[in-house]
Amino acid sequence: MNLKVTIYLFIAGCVLVLLALLLKYYEIVENYTLVFVGITIESLSILLYAYQKIKKNG
């Protein structure tokens, strides 16, 4: 997986979190499951990005 993919994954996670919060604000969804999924995607992308940087430099 290259660095571009991790950046796109992070952006997708951010968009998912914003969408989930917007849906929750307008009471279209009743829980925060989409927010947790988005945060998980963001965290995974940050870990992958850091791993690739360490692997590349080390």
Side-chain angles (χ1 to χ4, degrees):
M1 194 181 285
N2 63 21
L3 296 177
K4 264 188 175 178
V5 173
T6 57
I7 292 170
Y8 290 142
L9 195 60
F10 180 77
I11 292 170
C14 290
V15 169
L16 182 62
V17 168
L18 291 175
L19 176 67
L21 289 174
L22 187 66
L23 291 174
K24 179 64 178 157
Y25 179 77
Y26 288 110
E27 297 178 359
I28 296 171
V29 294
E30 294 184 12
N31 57 21
Y32 288 101
T33 305
L34 287 176
V35 175
F36 295 135
V37 170
I39 291 172
T40 303
I41 290 172
E42 289 176 6
S43 302
L44 179 63
S45 68
I46 291 170
L47 288 173
L48 287 171
Y49 182 78
Y51 172 74
Q52 289 174 355
K53 283 292 197 183
I54 290 169
K55 185 177 163 186
K56 186 178 182 182
N57 292 336

